[in-house]
Amino acid sequence: MFAVDRFLYHMRLSDETLVDIMTRFQAEMEKGLGKDTNPTASVKMLPTFVRAIPDGSENGEFLSLDLGGSKFRVLKVQVSQEGKQNVQMESQFYPTPNEIIRGNGTELFGYVADCLADFMRTREMTHKKLPLGFTFSFPCRQTKLDEGFLLSWTKKFKARGVQDTDVVSRLANAMKEHEDLDVDILSLVNDTVGTMMTCAYDDPACEVGVIIGTGTNACYMEDMSNIELVEGDEGRMCINTEWGAFGDDGALEDIRTEFDRELDLGSLNPGKQLFEKMVSGLYMGELVRLILLKMAKVGLLFGGAKSSALHTKGKIETQHVAAMEKYKEGLANTREILVNLGLDPSESDCIAVQQVCTIVSFRSANLCAAALAAILTRLRENKKLARLRTTVGMDGTLYKTHPQYPKRLHKVVRRLVPNCDVRFLLSESGSTKGAAMVTAVACRVQAQRKQIDKVLALFQLSREQLIGVRDKMRTELEYGLKKKTHALATVKMLPTFVYGMPDGTEKGKFLALDLGGTNFRVLLVKIRSGRKSVRMYNKIFAIPLEIMQGTGEELFDHIVQCIADFLDYMGLKGAQLPLGFTFSFPCRQTCIDKGTLVGWTKGFKATDCEGEDVVDMLREAIKRRNEFDLDIVAIVNDTVGTMMTCGYEDPNCEIGLIAGEWSSVTPLARFHMTLLRSDGGHCSTARGFSKGTGSNVCYMEEMRNIELVDGDEGQMCINTEWGGFGDNGCIDDICTQYDKEVDEGSLNSGKQRYEKMTSGMYLGEIVRQILIDLTRQGLLFRGQISERLRTKGIFETKFLSQIESDRLALLQVRKILQQLGLDSTCEDSIVVKEVCGAVSRRAAQLCGAGLAAIVEKRREDQGLEHFKVTVGVDGTLYKLHPHFSRILQETVKELAPQCDVTFMLSEDGSGKGAALITAVAKRLQQQEKEN
Ligand code: BG6
Ligand code: BG6
Ligand code: GLC
Ligand code: GLC
């Protein structure tokens, strides 16, 4: 008795040593979880992409494979929602011969697929597509639930050519051999995870799964914020520790014995799974055999006699160890086993052998207890609890069949972590039930994904659809130009009375107004001829919502007030300067300084303006104020101003494009404005609270094509007002329910349909409508439509641009959404980003299709094979959005391949262009006077 104790002194671990091992394992876990330390960590701490324990809502019919434990099974699991006990399983065991599990990998998966096929055929399950959960009890590196690359085989398996491949696709490929079967492998689950989930189905407090069987391993729920290998920090994820590899880096050398080393050398995977080899069932019998052999050799047993069986690897199995340790029959069992090994044991030999078994199995339980205690401590610390109450799901033949093992394990765990109340729950039904739960959740996620994809697909336009848009736009352009059809045309094609590009001879000092974009500005523009130098001074003013949507008189009085303020500020009071008025709304012009407002667009809705000449309205307001006089020489659309600004630098510029923002007036900004106004009633410089622009284009057209204006010579710039494209329903086929909702909620319902699909704030609104719908369908924000989400205008272009930036990590997207008051998970953030992407992509493509129509028209009109042109562009969407400009350009190239289109960003805004137009107009005015 004492002899055995002395001989196996090293295998008897004191509590002090166990606490030490526990501390070492805690450090190993930390190392495995860290991004930088994981590559060299021996305990791999593998993310499993299982994020929650079952909540009882799982249901459906599933197939399941359970491969890697002592038995290979195929199962059918039926989970129904009513009541928890409603899980029905049917299963069949299949053998796993050595030539299969240690042969060629393709044959292994072929065999697994054959067994599955056999199972399905005998149960007449071939007619329907079934989701499958694959319990695969080996270490796999997963990046999602249905993909896992085998890190290395462990235990008895060693099939060639499988390591580093995705076992899910291997199995899926093998299933292709069975054409009559349709299975969808939705989840790959380690047996520890399956065990934890099985137990959690009955006890929701279960957050750890432990296997002590052929191999040994544990998993537990870790806080996402600690898992550096997976993006996101919300909630928890199950980590498959793969604790069997503990010690592979030498961390357990001080407690390993000569027997452990010998066993390792004779194993399939020397140097690997060193902890497992001290603990699990596959090795325990062999350890005992090696010890007995050595003891016999040194004369401590059997009077020094050995048998050939005792010399043979694998002759003592773990089941023998369990039998020998059995209470009461143990001694008799021991004698029988030894006799069967060809030995002739004495009574004291039998007692000594029993003692060896106890020491070996006790060490196993002790080591497991130490590692488990480390996990429990980690859980307790993660939760910042003084006392942890939790459940551990248990499985594995050694744990289940060894008579003393569970009791010993439980006792040591409780001693090592006295501040944890642990319930050990045996998984009666193996890991399959749990795997089915994981698969059920995956199934739900897949179905949800399909719903999301369906919505996103509405925004994906085919090449044919884009060609359709281009061709319809072309038709509308022609309608707008023709006298007969003009009145009914949705694209109004307004003559601007701008006949040519600046030629560099313009000069003088001018005032300019820039109204209708994101900012309202007053500018002083000094142009010098010759060197083509332009100097500008400007001030941005706010136009409060109540003025944008008040009366016309109020609006123009406000504008004049801002001009007065600016003149004051510049020390120009009394100077009678020529003024160019950029007014970014559709105006019917009969000459350069007259413009009748056709109808407000975007965020303006001041009364008594539509149908009026806005130049007159401005003049009258100046008169009302009676402080200064101004010479209003030209009224200019922003597209025209932009074209002119760019044309001053590049004479090839014959097109002006605005792809702008529609930024809303935030309540805070409005409050700010009230303060400014009560502060003496003056407008003041302020950013960010203004109306906004839409989407529009102007271009130089041949006079002979412009039937509304007399004369056939030369060219004139046409303000297309293409925002109205589609107002006759011609693009209804690509309009979605979300576009309709945005239109209905706008100030000008039924109008500017194309603009509402292509410009900034409308895009934000479309995004918001989609998010509301997805939330309503339970696919986002936990199904809760928050007050914030109900708020119009929360998605300004700048947010869309930020969210879609490629440089932004998911967490940052989530932060932006949180800033917007949308409490989102990481999954939500991914979906929101996708939605933004789909909406802005469509906008850019639609804009591109429209522009293609214009450049193609110009090319054909001039009878050119190739047409080279520059487009001057402005607008926040174009400037700020990370992808808009690129997609727009790509689309133009694709749909107008014979045109070589250069895009030139207008850096100076349209005020400069307006001043240039004013300069030309002024010169013409003077010439007329002189004649
Ligand atoms: C079974 C599980 O009950 O236990 C398997 O269903 C698991 O998934 C096995 O691998 C572990 O124990 P053993 O002893 O069979 O390796
Ligand atoms: C500015 C121009 O740069 O861009 C304005 O000066 C124009 O005239 C505006 O309306 C368009 O962009 P946004 O995004 O400000 O509406
Ligand atoms: C081995 C495997 C591990 C599995 C365990 C129990 O350690 O590597 O994945 O969980 O055996 O079967
Ligand atoms: C709106 C206006 C148009 C303007 C465009 C860009 O579409 O109707 O005149 O050019 O917005 O600001």
Side-chain angles (χ1 to χ4, degrees), residues 127-147:
H127 53 285
K128 50 183 166 184
K129 181 169 181 140
L130 282 181
L132 180 139
F134 184 11
T135 304
F136 182 71
S137 311
F138 300 96
C140 290
R141 168 93 54 212
Q142 292 186 259
T143 50
K144 45 186 175 187
L145 194 55
D146 59 354
E147 182 187 270

Side-chain angles (χ1 to χ4, degrees), residues 521-538:
R521 293 184 225 224
V522 185
L523 307 94
L524 175 68
V525 186
K526 292 184 184 169
I527 309 173
R528 279 202 282 177
S529 63
R531 276 182 297 141
K532 273 199 180 182
S533 102
V534 175
R535 288 183 133 203
M536 299 201 289
Y537 308 86
N538 79 79

Side-chain angles (χ1 to χ4, degrees), residues 476 479 484-491 728:
E476 296 297 316
Y479 278 170
K484 258 202 339 232
T485 41
H486 174 83
L488 289 176
T490 54
V491 178
N728 58 359

Side-chain angles (χ1 to χ4, degrees), residues 37-51:
T37 42
N38 177 278
T40 56
S42 51
V43 176
K44 283 298 177 203
M45 304 295 280
L46 302 166
T48 64
F49 294 83
V50 168
R51 292 171 193 268

Side-chain angles (χ1 to χ4, degrees), residues 376-575:
L376 294 169
T377 303
R378 188 168 174 92
L379 272 176
R380 187 179 59 75
E381 286 172 357
N382 280 349
K383 294 187 187 189
K384 302 189 174 63
L385 292 175
R387 227 187 149 70
L388 175 77
R389 184 182 276 277
T390 195
T391 299
V392 178
M394 301 292 306
D395 204 351
T397 331
L398 178 57
Y399 180 83
K400 281 202 289 206
T401 56
H402 188 286
Q404 274 85 261
Y405 202 97
K407 250 183 286 153
R408 291 180 190 156
L409 177 80
H410 303 171
K411 205 164 153 189
V412 183
V413 169
R414 292 188 175 120
R415 222 167 50 225
L416 291 177
V417 280
N419 44 10
C420 296
D421 299 317
V422 191
R423 175 176 183 227
F424 290 89
L425 188 60
L426 184 65
S427 158
E428 302 285 358
S429 39
S431 54
T432 317
K433 190 159 111 184
M437 298 307 149
V438 173
T439 312
V441 173
C443 229
R444 192 166 59 208
V445 170
Q446 195 189 48
Q448 291 177 336
R449 185 65 234 180
K450 276 197 190 133
Q451 272 171 278
I452 293 170
D453 286 343
K454 213 165 117 193
V455 169
L456 294 181
L458 299 173
F459 290 84
Q460 282 145 15
L461 301 179
S462 66
R463 195 184 138 83
E464 284 62 44
Q465 283 174 310
L466 287 172
I467 290 176
V469 171
R470 179 195 67 191
D471 295 347
K472 282 179 203 159
M473 177 67 89
R474 175 69 184 269
T475 308
E476 296 297 316
L477 296 174
E478 308 286 358
Y479 278 170
L481 286 172
K482 298 256 171 346
K483 231 182 195 143
K484 258 202 339 232
T485 41
H486 174 83
L488 289 176
T490 54
V491 178
K492 289 175 210 77
M493 305 297 277
L494 301 167
T496 63
F497 295 85
V498 169
Y499 292 95
M501 290 296 128
D503 63 5
T505 62
E506 300 77 8
K507 60 172 192 248
K509 260 198 216 173
F510 306 90
L511 274 182
L513 298 181
D514 188 351
L515 178 75
T518 309
N519 298 306
F520 167 48
R521 293 184 225 224
V522 185
L523 307 94
L524 175 68
V525 186
K526 292 184 184 169
I527 309 173
R528 279 202 282 177
S529 63
R531 276 182 297 141
K532 273 199 180 182
S533 102
V534 175
R535 288 183 133 203
M536 299 201 289
Y537 308 86
N538 79 79
K539 207 164 174 195
I540 295 172
F541 292 90
I543 300 192
L545 190 68
E546 48 278 24
I547 291 208
M548 282 162 63
Q549 297 174 12
T551 68
E553 255 188 40
E554 280 166 352
L555 172 64
F556 282 94
D557 282 348
H558 180 82
I559 292 171
V560 172
Q561 165 96 63
C562 296
I563 301 174
D565 190 39
F566 179 74
L567 292 176
D568 227 10
Y569 171 76
M570 297 294 297
L572 283 171
K573 250 197 170 155

Side-chain angles (χ1 to χ4, degrees), residues 513-519 521 523 582-584 602 636-639 641-642 645 657-663 691-694 760 797 873-880 906-912:
L513 298 181
D514 188 351
L515 178 75
T518 309
N519 298 306
R521 293 184 225 224
L523 307 94
T582 303
F583 183 70
S584 310
K602 303 176 284 191
V636 179
N637 186 265
D638 55 353
T639 53
T642 299
T645 301
L657 167 70
I658 300 279
E661 145 84 319
W662 195 114
S663 94
K691 52 263 130 223
T693 60
T797 302
V873 202
D874 206 342
T876 358
L877 184 59
Y878 188 91
K879 281 183 182 166
L880 292 186
S906 157
E907 304 285 359
D908 301 328
S910 58
K912 177 167 153 185

